[in-house]
Amino acid sequence: MSETLVLVTGVGGFIAAHVADQLLERGYRVRGTARGPKYQALAETVKRPGLEFVRIDDVATSDFTAALAGVDAVIHLACPLPGRKSVEETFSSAIEGTMNVVRQAQRAGVKKLVVTSSFGCLLSPTHMPAFHGLTFTEQDWGVTDDAEFEQQKDNKFYVYFTAKIKTEIALWDFARAHPELEVATILPGYVIGPYSASFPLPADIASMGTNDLVLQIITGGAVLPAPNWLVDVRDVARAHVLALTRLPLGGHGDARFIVNAATYPWAKAAAHIARARPALAGRIVPLDTIAPLPGVLSGLDNTRSKTVLGVGSYITPEDTLGAAVDAVLALQKHWAQVNREIRCTWRQGLLKCSLGNIMHLNIFGQHMVVISSAKVAKDLLDKKGSIYSDRPQSVILRLCGYTRTFPLLSHNETWRKQRRLVAYEFNVGSISKYYALQEKEAVTLVRNLLDNPDNLMREIQMYGVNGFTFPKSASSNNYDIRRIGSIIMRVTYGYQVKSVDDRMLAIPLQSLGNFSKISTPGAFLVDQIPALQYLPRWMPGSGFLDKVDTWHQMFMDSCWDPYQWSKTNIDTGDALMPNLCASIIQSQEEPLSDDEEAQAVYATGSILGGGLDTNMSSVLSFLMAMILYPQVQAKGQAELDLVVGKNRLPELSDRPNLPYLRSIMAEVLRWSPALPLGIPHALEEDDDYEGYFLPKGSLVIPNIWEMSHDPEVYTDPMVFNPERFDGVDAEMAKASSLAFGFGRRVCPGMHFAEGTLFSIIMTTLATCDVLAGLDENGKEVMPKYAYTSGTISFPEPFPVKLQLRSAAAATLLADISTVE
Ligand code: HEM
């Protein structure tokens, strides 16, 4: 064994472990640094001749005297990946961490230093040049800009790459001032591949390295629409070791090395995995939904890594991807074995994972906390509402205007103002004034469905698939599914929707459809690279900005037009009373200021967005459940016959006397929550929960579907079984409240929503049998429990048939006037 002792910082990390392996194979002695618990685990489990460990808790501030004793060379790799730390900590770990090690090494007389840098040090931290069809060489440098940084400091990638650029500059400045030092830097592309066989496997996603992107692809997550300069971790480790052996290599112009196998976009990687691993293909998002890159991808020139370092030929991207997929699959198996089951399925357009009750993911540097237990959701989102009530901010949604409405506003004063404006109108004490309206609209829905049952599913299909496009040929009466939209327009603005083409509802619906498309994770690169919003309109890749203009205009019209109509018509009597808009306007002694008026416009605009699809989804789930569980239907009808009789239609005032119907409604909300993953919250401060560290800025996703299907709480959770509540309202409330979210962001329309849903349940069951529809051959088609993806989830289309229970029921339905 060689006498040369190399200090490897952050030795448990993805690349560092391979570096240590390769050094040992070449006969070097290795001393690895690791932090507290990691140090303990390494010292106890990794026993190899020539390898020792030393504990360093904070690379930026710790004393390295003991670590550097007798050391001949340092390979410095320890650095957090994007988003793993706050801005200050990222800078401190990257710049101070590197300089602390380098300064102390120089003082200790160590001459040879190899430092891991990044491809990000070759270009601006905006990454715009990545799409300009260039070829980067080691002569290229990223330039940082303090003013731009101020604008971009919420962008984790920008922060990370700024820190890396500053680190490399500081390092080379120091090297120039200390010519006795022999320094080399390694600038790899995205590093993926197998894990070292001699070190412990990563304990969680946060410590997977960039293999988390591979995990994301094979578990149906979004495919990163970013340049992918791809390189195998074994080649990157080899380059570090070769650089060490080749030192001295000259000044910074000569001793930087791009280490990269190929330019291989993530979409191509996804396509390759789908082809090479057919068993995984079904898990990968449909390839045609992956957003195209916004320009011509630039390349990295790796010539010098071959000619100067002697890397020779790189492992091919296909082999690297194969090894990375195997590594990730093995890791999942390993995690499962250590009794922490990981279940990842692509269902609702978002990564839905559960690892025990709470799971921390790090995806493209964005921390995500997925909560799958009602208790944890309440502990965090309810009890610690002061720090768990923010919303993640999306550039594309802001550009289109949607973040003006309070469901998407940050947890700030404007959100508070808007929420207050609607809270009173929809609180449990105020909503009874809308009961009559909800009852009438339920009657109209049932009547229209009896006349033409096909409408419901045909239109729902168009909503789900095309994003709320209206059928061009729909006749003016066929707007059953918009019955709920009609209720909301009536309640919010006092506006009676006149026909299927009524612009006052059609525009908001189209705007909602746009929202659905725009908010799909990963759909717009500008969310990853915010600088794209400033692209000049003539530039390739700026086409999305024209669409943004159209969507923005439609969003503004959808909020302002109905508001203006309502405001103008309060006094003419055309606006039907009561309505939310009138309540807001009339409750003010003075005319609203411009800002107050804008808040009223966006608060009322939020109601249609919040209350339409959610309620529609629940109504469809109710109809599906009635077809699949006829015994439940019969029991509900029996209760109605007993309590209400057959001589009148039920009313919302009957609700207290209809416990079985109440449990049907609770079971609908539990069985098929309309927002299976809720709306993500964002964490405003670092938090600790039962040993988990949850970093500030994390996206907190309440996995409502999992909570509502927890087998430990709900026996046979997939079975629609209202009996599970034993008629106890508190048990029903526990289940149904999950569907409406948590904490300060809890759905403000929940009582109103329950009124609408209950009206439809009771009117349908009192008058009709809900039966399976027929296919073109006259055969019954039983619905399947299958739901569309998207934030709000609908049952996949299924045919339904309503059949009048009696002639008396027909008379009762016909007798109700629906004209106000
Ligand atoms: C079955 C029907 C409904 C369901 C399942 C539902 C569910 C939800 C959920 C899960 C949230 C997110 C809560 C969170 O962030 O933790 C939410 C928010 C919201 N809902 Fe509902 N909702 C329904 C009906 C309605 C109705 C009828 C309205 C309006 C009258 C409405 C207005 C809103 C608004 C404005 C928000 C945003 C609240 C905020 O961010 O402060 N929802 N809803």
Side-chain angles (χ1 to χ4, degrees):
M1 172 149 314
S2 146
E3 283 311 299
T4 310
L5 174 60
V6 184
L7 183 76
V8 176
T9 60
V11 75
F14 183 36
I15 305 174
H18 282 282
V19 169
D21 281 345
Q22 294 193 19
L23 286 169
L24 291 168
E25 276 159 30
R26 285 173 169 249
Y28 288 92
R29 290 191 296 128
V30 175
R31 182 178 293 155
T33 73
R35 287 188 294 159
K38 222 171 190 177
Y39 162 78
Q40 208 62 39
L42 291 174
E44 281 165 14
T45 57
V46 184
K47 309 274 184 203
R48 292 183 66 184
L51 178 62
E52 61 189 60
F53 300 103
V54 58
R55 178 175 171 157
I56 292 288
D57 281 324
D58 183 352
V59 72
T61 56
S62 287
D63 180 353
F64 276 74
T65 310
L68 285 164
V71 161
D72 300 289
V74 173
I75 301 188
H76 174 59
L77 297 109
C79 181
L81 286 169
R84 312 255 154 117
K85 303 251 158 109
S86 67
V87 175
E88 296 73 27
E89 287 168 321
T90 302
F91 272 75
S92 155
S93 304
I95 306 173
E96 276 317 303
T98 301
M99 294 318 295
N100 186 33
V101 173
V102 171
R103 276 191 217 108
Q104 294 199 40
Q106 184 267 335
R107 279 203 296 272
V110 178
K111 292 205 170 37
K112 294 180 188 297
L113 294 164
V114 178
V115 176
T116 317
S117 186
S118 161
F119 67 85
C121 295
L122 299 166
L123 63 165
S124 134
T126 61
H127 279 194
M128 286 306 302
F131 304 105
H132 290 176
L134 308 170
T135 300
F136 295 104
T137 72
E138 287 88 351
Q139 299 305 318
D140 290 303
W141 280 91
V143 177
T144 59
D145 174 335
D146 291 346
E148 192 177 71
F149 185 83
E150 270 311 300
Q151 289 172 358
Q152 298 276 351
K153 63 182 180 211
D154 291 336
N155 175 349
K156 296 171 179 70
F157 291 98
Y158 192 96
V159 170
Y160 171 75
F161 288 117
T162 302
K164 291 298 278 186
I165 293 169
K166 285 182 184 270
T167 303
E168 218 199 321
I169 291 172
L171 172 68
W172 285 116
D173 284 348
F174 188 82
R176 261 192 298 274
H178 297 88
E180 76 280 13
L181 290 180
E182 299 168 13
V183 180
T185 53
I186 304 295
L187 291 78
Y190 280 92
V191 184
I192 63 168
Y195 292 102
S196 153
S198 37
F199 282 78
L201 285 170
D204 54 25
I205 292 181
S207 43
M208 282 180 76
T210 11
N211 268 353
D212 63 351
L213 298 174
V214 176
L215 172 71
Q216 166 138 345
I217 290 176
I218 64 171
T219 50
V223 173
L224 188 64
N228 188 7
W229 295 308
L230 195 75
V231 60
D232 194 290
V233 63
R234 293 162 289 185
D235 283 340
V236 177
R238 201 149 56 89
H240 281 81
V241 177
L242 285 169
L244 184 72
T245 60
R246 302 274 189 271
L247 285 172
L249 285 153
H252 68 267
D254 298 323
R256 302 175 86 206
F257 294 94
I258 291 175
V259 174
N260 189 58
T263 300
Y264 203 91
W266 289 107
K268 189 172 168 190
H272 170 75
I273 297 171
R275 239 186 353 264
R277 304 291 177 97
L280 301 176
R283 300 206 220 158
I284 297 171
V285 286
L287 299 173
D288 55 3
T289 62
I290 299 173
L293 296 175
V296 181
L297 212 43
S298 301
L300 301 183
D301 181 351
N302 64 8
T303 312
R304 293 185 62 259
S305 69
K306 295 179 179 172
T307 55
V308 182
L309 290 186
V311 168
S313 56
Y314 280 92
I315 299 169
T316 66
E318 289 77 14
D319 286 349
T320 298
L321 279 167
V325 168
D326 285 341
V328 168
L329 292 175
L331 196 55
Q332 285 186 298
K333 226 184 230 165
H334 167 72
W335 284 338
Q337 274 162 6
V338 290
N339 204 18
R340 298 158 86 193
E341 185 198 20
I342 179 160
R343 272 176 290 143
C344 294
T345 53
W346 179 259
R347 181 167 168 250
Q348 307 303 336
L350 265 176
L351 192 63
K352 178 169 83 72
C353 292
S354 70
L355 176 66
N357 288 335
I358 180 166
M359 178 172 191
H360 176 213
L361 304 168
N362 189 310
I363 294 178
F364 312 146
Q366 168 66 63
H367 291 279
M368 279 196 200
V369 178
V370 184
I371 300 175
S372 298
S373 130
K375 177 181 178 309
V376 179
K378 286 184 195 309
D379 283 353
L380 298 181
L381 305 181
D382 286 357
K383 293 186 188 153
K384 295 186 177 184
S386 59
I387 58 168
Y388 277 90
S389 300
D390 208 2
R391 292 278 192 229
Q393 293 304 304
S394 142
V395 177
I396 187 76
L397 290 176
R398 178 174 52 72
L399 292 176
C400 295
Y402 293 99
T403 50
R404 292 168 197 245
T405 58
F406 75 93
L408 301 180
L409 268 174
S410 288
H411 184 213
N412 59 19
E413 198 41 44
T414 314
W415 166 78
R416 240 167 247 120
K417 272 190 203 156
Q418 287 193 24
R419 192 164 165 120
R420 250 185 256 128
L421 287 177
V422 305
Y424 178 73
E425 198 69 9
F426 293 114
N427 77 24
V428 72
S430 309
I431 45 161
S432 54
K433 61 186 172 201
Y434 294 118
Y435 280 179
L437 168 72
Q438 289 170 311
E439 288 158 5
K440 279 181 184 180
E441 294 288 354
V443 167
T444 313
L445 174 73
V446 174
R447 268 198 323 224
N448 286 2
L449 279 181
L450 278 164
D451 287 349
N452 191 350
D454 289 344
N455 274 350
L456 177 71
M457 293 324 298
R458 199 178 59 230
E459 290 198 15
I460 227 11
Q461 186 168 17
M462 305 200 64
Y463 282 64
V465 175
N466 295 338
F468 301 93
T469 315
F470 277 96
K472 293 263 183 310
S473 60
S475 80
S476 58
N477 279 331
N478 294 346
Y479 62 109
D480 306 289
I481 202 56
R482 267 152 277 167
R483 185 68 30 210
I484 289 162
S486 160
I487 296 181
I488 303 244
M489 289 301 285
R490 162 66 190 82
V491 167
T492 311
Y493 302 108
Y495 183 83
Q496 189 69 58
V497 175
K498 298 185 179 57
S499 76
V500 70
D501 301 316
D502 193 326
R503 192 176 178 279
M504 209 66 94
L505 180 58
I507 297 292
L509 284 176
Q510 277 187 25
S511 180
L512 266 178
N514 294 340
F515 172 78
S516 213
K517 278 185 256 167
I518 296 165
S519 59
T520 304
F524 287 87
L525 188 58
V526 69
D527 273 334
Q528 271 83 41
I529 308 176
L532 292 178
Q533 67 190 288
Y534 305 115
L535 277 183
R537 300 289 174 131
W538 50 263
M539 208 179 229
S542 68
F544 77 98
L545 290 171
D546 294 337
K547 285 193 199 145
V548 162
D549 291 344
T550 312
W551 291 329
H552 183 259
Q553 189 55 51
M554 193 169 277
F555 164 78
M556 295 301 269
D557 291 350
S558 76
C559 293
W560 282 91
D561 289 359
Y563 174 88
Q564 291 293 12
W565 179 90
S566 187
K567 184 179 165 188
T568 312
N569 287 289
I570 291 172
D571 293 333
T572 64
D574 284 347
L576 302 169
M577 297 293 186
N579 74 66
L580 170 64
C581 221
S583 299
I584 294 174
I585 293 169
Q586 290 173 338
S587 65
Q588 312 293 318
E589 283 168 13
E590 301 285 322
L592 297 175
S593 69
D594 286 352
D595 177 59
E596 285 167 344
E597 179 143 74
Q599 299 321 326
V601 168
Y602 299 125
T604 48
S606 304
I607 297 307
L608 192 65
L612 184 69
D613 302 6
T614 44
N615 250 151
M616 290 197 316
S617 163
S618 300
V619 170
L620 288 171
S621 294
F622 157 71
L623 293 172
M624 186 206 283
M626 293 305 99
I627 298 172
L628 292 174
Y629 296 88
Q631 73 285 9
V632 172
Q633 183 174 175
K635 205 166 160 186
Q637 288 169 329
E639 181 178 75
L640 279 160
D641 293 349
L642 188 72
V643 174
V644 179
K646 294 190 173 176
N647 299 325
R648 67 173 177 91
L649 287 175
E651 293 171 359
L652 280 166
S653 54
D654 293 315
R655 196 154 109 184
N657 305 319
L658 296 167
Y660 193 70
L661 254 64
R662 292 201 300 277
S663 54
I664 291 182
M665 181 166 76
E667 185 67 347
V668 168
L669 294 165
R670 181 202 70 80
W671 192 56
S672 299
L675 286 104
L677 297 171
I679 303 178
H681 290 224
L683 179 53
E684 290 167 72
E685 284 173 19
D686 287 348
D687 191 27
D688 280 307
Y689 180 73
E690 296 189 350
Y692 288 89
F693 171 67
L694 308 177
K696 174 181 171 182
S698 294
L699 220 78
V700 184
I701 298 176
N703 191 341
I704 295 176
W705 196 91
E706 289 279 338
M707 295 176 208
S708 310
H709 290 77
D710 182 345
E712 290 187 9
V713 184
Y714 304 107
T715 316
D716 294 331
M718 291 307 294
V719 176
F720 188 91
N721 176 20
E723 278 78 7
R724 68 174 75 248
F725 303 119
D726 261 345
V728 177
D729 281 302
E731 291 304 312
M732 296 175 207
K734 253 190 233 163
S736 57
S737 66
L738 294 176
F740 292 105
F742 304 92
R744 297 185 184 181
R745 290 285 183 164
V746 71
C747 175
M750 66 185 285
H751 303 297
F752 183 77
E754 287 189 337
T756 302
L757 186 55
F758 200 84
S759 297
I760 293 170
I761 291 175
M762 70 183 183
T763 310
T764 308
L765 293 186
T767 56
C768 300
D769 290 325
V770 184
L771 305 172
L774 308 177
D775 66 14
E776 53 278 13
N777 303 318
K779 240 178 99 197
E780 261 187 8
V781 181
M782 287 309 273
K784 290 197 183 67
Y785 186 92
Y787 279 74
T788 61
S789 54
T791 305
I792 301 173
S793 177
F794 291 92
E796 295 285 357
F798 62 93
V800 61
K801 189 171 142 199
L802 291 196
Q803 186 171 286
L804 274 169
R805 290 180 65 201
S806 64
T811 315
L812 288 175
L813 284 172
D815 279 354
I816 299 288
S817 152
T818 53
V819 180
E820 283 183 75

